[in-house]
Amino acid sequence: MAISDVATFAHLSEADVDALGREFDAIRRDIEESRGADDAAYISRIISIQRRLMVAARLTLFASSFPAAWVAGTAMLAAGKILENMEIGHNVMHGQWDWMNDPEIHSGTWEWDTTCPADQWKHSHNFVHHTFTNVIGKDNDVGYGILRVTSDQKWHPVHLGQPVYNALLALLFEWGVALNDLDIEAIRKHEKDPKEIKRQLKGIWRKVRRQVGKDYIIFPMLSGPNFLTTLSANVTANLVRNLWSYMIIFCGHFPDGAEKFTEEELENESKAEWYLRQILGSANFDGSRLLHVMAGSLGYQIEHHLFPDLPSNRYPEIAERVRALCEKYDVPYTIGPLYRQYGQVLRTILRLSLPTKSVPPVPDAPGLRRASLEELRTHAGTMAPQAAVS
Amino acid sequence: MSVLSKMRVRVIDPDVVADTDDRRGSESNAGPASGSNAEVVRRLVARMTTPLLPDDYLHMVNPLWSARELRGKIIEVIPETSDAATLVIKPGWGWNVNYQAGQYVGIGVRLSGKWHWRSYSISSAPGTGGARYQRRPLTITVKAMPEGFLSEHLVRGLEPGTIVRLALPQGEFVLPDPPPAKVLFWTGGSGITPVMSMLRTLERRGTMPDLVHIHSAPTRESAIFREERLALASRHSGLQVIENFDDEHGVLDGGRLIEVCPDWKSRETWVCGPAPMLAAAEMQWEKSRLTKKLHLERFSAVLTTSAEGGHVVFAASDKAADVDGATTLLEAGEAAGIQMPFGCRMGICHTCIVPLKKGVVKDLRNGTEYQENAGVQTCITAAAGDCVLEI
């Protein structure tokens, strides 16, 4: 059931919410004040590795008719594109590195290696999704206008096809992202200015031409006799990137425990309540440092949503503090291994293709810090009676 | 010039910057090499590197091989006095411009991960023409200011080999070629630097006019370029160098100036120095209604400010507003009827960023100050004094 008041849901008094808000403000301040040469070196190193990977991949693929070269080249190209989209592009466009005052690594100038134009991404993602996170009817990322990912979305026979849409979206993720800011739903309801639609389509078309030209025409042609094998390598690399980013991104807000909200929640929402909504609406996954980097640090989805514009390399230390605060205030902090988080997502998508209204049952595993709605209600009754009544 | 707008101008519309005589024709500003062939090759290669530019890869091989952001390499740091040094900078690709003697250049230096920008007058003489001269090293001369952490770093902390960023030379404080027949230079302290470039240029071109140069410095030891100026005077009979050391002769004001240079009224005059000196000059020349003959260069050190609110100019929209220190730039712009980019209005989404061209703005959340050449989030910043936004 979607939440219409985060404070009541999290059984916190007004004073507690405000105190929590101040704690998060303090984390932001500490990180902002300590940003420095090490952080700058981090993003420079990642960018350098990514560009080397791209050069090595393209060169290797000139010999793509040799199976070993095909495999190595494709792997490097996929890894390079994943790094670029996830840890570099997504985070740079969030303004995480704007503080360096370097126009070459700046949210105002960055363009990424995918078909979605940066300006449209920044609108649909940085603004709409990160401001109205998980608010049904406001955040287009709740199911991306195609999928029913929460029982709060009304069932329609069209949802019977969900398993297929889901598979297609995974394979063609880059294209789904490119079209996301168009907001097909709004177009269908004639809520959108045709001029704006035209402007956006033009932007997408310009970007698509360049991306397709590079991956599917220019580099295959430069490979000469290896045209077809280079083409298949490039298609494969883009596909791998699509599948990976789809999986990581779906683990951000669709696993069990990541709550959805009604538009009522937005009314008079304070900054502290906004923080709280970000925590309740997001899910982390754990893993090695390499996994986190390849996932664009989205394994720290909660921290990313609290502080979308703080440098991603600082999320691990931020996470320690956020987790401690969540323990202290007894706020659910959703985290689990990647395979289980994605397993829950897949199960939800399959189940909600049917007109079921039941919330998927929540498996309780040791080390998993999360609470069901019932548990929270019990807490609300015992711990903060005034909040529960209000 | 703002970093962001500068980039837009160079990358997207090279014609905009190619509107002065110096830069017209073969000297396109957008390519590593001049000439349209190189430009065509660059565009073709950019099809392969999209969404990046070839420069983004090349500068990893050699930091100077990028025209995306103008770069330079410090090849030498020459101490001039106890607190001033000359930086010899080799410009990288894209520096296909010739500067004029007297102009200044923006220099960006990275400190603790962050690029800081300041403008300094160029002290070297420009090349005498032709593309091959234009990538010769240029020099700026910097005086360490007591509270200027950046000037301090430039004078004492910069190692040869350091890569800096450069902004295109600009400034109206220039000498026409050929120069007027009778000239007066009046300089104080580090205000000597643009005039040194002019003196060197006059000597190189062999066009030294009847010139009086009055230079003030606190002490004899702190006078920058002293030997070179005296040597110049000994080589050119038309050049008269007058020195004033405050500790020996007292401060040279407008009254003393007309004593040491009685025919000042007949001379085209260039003045560069501390604010009181500029004010004295302005008053003196205004009294005699000769301001047309007076050229001033103002150095305003951009330091922290306690100002709140100010006159905000929205340059591209040709609008302005007087706002208080609690009104965000976004609100101010919208109130002035400008289509400001906006997003979350709470400082997290970075979609409202606008380049700050001049002045200082303050982050209302934590008091952080942003100075010119930064892109600022308009939804959480307010003017701290007069400022100019590029929108």
Side-chain angles (χ1 to χ4, degrees), chain A residues 13-300:
Chain A
S13 69
E14 220 171 279
D16 279 346
V17 175
D18 288 347
L20 194 57
R22 279 194 298 276
E23 303 253 28
F24 288 131
D25 284 340
I27 296 179
R28 166 179 282 278
R29 214 165 38 241
D30 289 349
I31 300 294
E32 280 177 345
E33 278 166 11
S34 61
R35 285 180 303 208
D38 290 346
D39 304 290
Y42 171 78
I43 191 65
S44 298
R45 192 166 63 242
I46 298 287
I47 288 176
S48 166
I49 291 170
Q50 187 268 336
R51 290 185 188 165
R52 280 159 212 263
L53 270 173
M54 292 307 262
V55 171
R58 300 292 190 190
L59 290 177
T60 308
L61 287 175
F62 286 137
S64 56
S65 57
F66 298 100
W70 190 96
V71 170
T74 306
M76 286 191 289
L77 192 59
K81 279 177 179 268
I82 285 169
L83 261 186
E84 201 282 338
N85 289 180
M86 309 289 282
E87 183 67 352
I88 303 170
H90 166 252
N91 290 332
V92 170
M93 286 189 294
H94 262 298
Q96 294 186 1
W97 306 97
D98 286 7
W99 62 273
M100 299 194 302
N101 203 18
D102 184 347
E104 291 182 358
I105 310 176
H106 197 285
S107 66
T109 56
W110 195 269
E111 188 55 81
W112 56 344
D113 189 3
T114 171
T115 45
C116 176
D119 61 323
Q120 295 187 27
W121 169 259
K122 281 183 284 186
H123 177 261
S124 65
H125 181 79
N126 290 16
F127 168 38
V128 179
H129 170 59
H130 273 270
T131 310
F132 306 117
T133 314
N134 286 21
V135 175
I136 295 162
K138 293 284 264 185
D139 179 4
N140 207 19
D141 283 20
V142 180
Y144 302 96
I146 312 171
L147 299 175
R148 183 170 179 248
V149 292
T150 161
S151 52
D152 297 303
Q153 290 169 298
K154 244 178 88 180
W155 184 84
H156 185 277
V158 87
H159 289 125
L160 287 170
Q162 271 206 164
V164 180
Y165 314 150
N166 178 54
L168 284 175
L169 184 58
L171 289 169
L172 302 172
F173 195 62
E174 158 181 37
W175 302 91
V177 170
L179 298 175
N180 195 32
D181 195 37
L182 273 175
D183 196 352
I184 309 288
E185 185 93 359
I187 295 177
R188 209 170 42 216
K189 289 183 187 157
H190 302 288
E191 281 169 1
K192 212 162 157 165
D193 183 359
K195 264 194 207 142
E196 175 62 8
I197 301 175
K198 214 174 144 192
R199 189 194 66 82
Q200 286 188 318
L201 282 173
K202 244 172 138 173
I204 297 169
W205 173 237
R206 204 176 318 129
K207 189 79 196 287
V208 166
R209 244 177 21 217
R210 292 186 150 255
Q211 289 295 117
V212 168
K214 164 182 73 165
D215 282 340
Y216 304 143
I217 299 171
I218 296 179
F219 277 108
M221 273 171 67
L222 286 172
S223 306
N226 299 335
F227 181 95
L228 281 178
T229 42
T230 298
L231 178 66
S232 71
N234 293 355
V235 170
T236 308
N238 276 326
L239 214 61
V240 169
R241 184 271 319 269
N242 284 353
L243 290 171
W244 178 255
S245 40
Y246 149 85
M247 181 177 69
I248 298 299
I249 287 163
F250 269 49
C251 285
H253 301 288
F254 305 153
D256 300 354
E259 305 293 348
K260 311 295 177 291
F261 308 89
T262 65
E263 289 192 40
E264 272 177 280
E265 162 57 26
L266 292 176
E267 285 165 23
N268 301 319
E269 187 182 59
S270 68
K271 180 75 195 277
E273 289 166 334
W274 178 85
Y275 277 134
L276 204 50
R277 173 157 57 85
Q278 303 305 323
I279 299 179
L280 295 174
S282 308
N284 280 12
F285 55 80
D286 37 36
S288 67
R289 188 69 201 128
L290 179 66
L291 175 70
H292 280 303
V293 172
M294 294 309 281
S297 299
L298 292 181
Y300 298 101

Side-chain angles (χ1 to χ4, degrees), chain A residues 98-99 101 106-108, chain B residues 2-4 114 312 314 328-330 340-342 347 349-363 365 368-383 387-391:
Chain A
D98 286 7
W99 62 273
N101 203 18
H106 197 285
S107 66
Chain B
S2 137
V3 178
L4 296 176
K114 186 174 173 182
V312 181
F314 303 91
T328 64
L329 296 170
L330 178 60
M340 301 284 287
F342 73 92
C349 82
H350 290 245
T351 43
C352 63
I353 288 179
V354 168
L356 177 64
K357 230 173 139 185
K358 266 202 191 105
V360 180
V361 303
K362 208 175 263 183
D363 189 326
R365 299 171 301 180
T368 308
E369 285 174 352
Y370 297 93
Q371 303 178 346
E372 57 188 68
N373 274 338
V376 296
Q377 292 174 269
T378 56
C379 74
I380 40 101
T381 50
C387 58
V388 180
L389 292 175
E390 182 67 48
I391 180 160

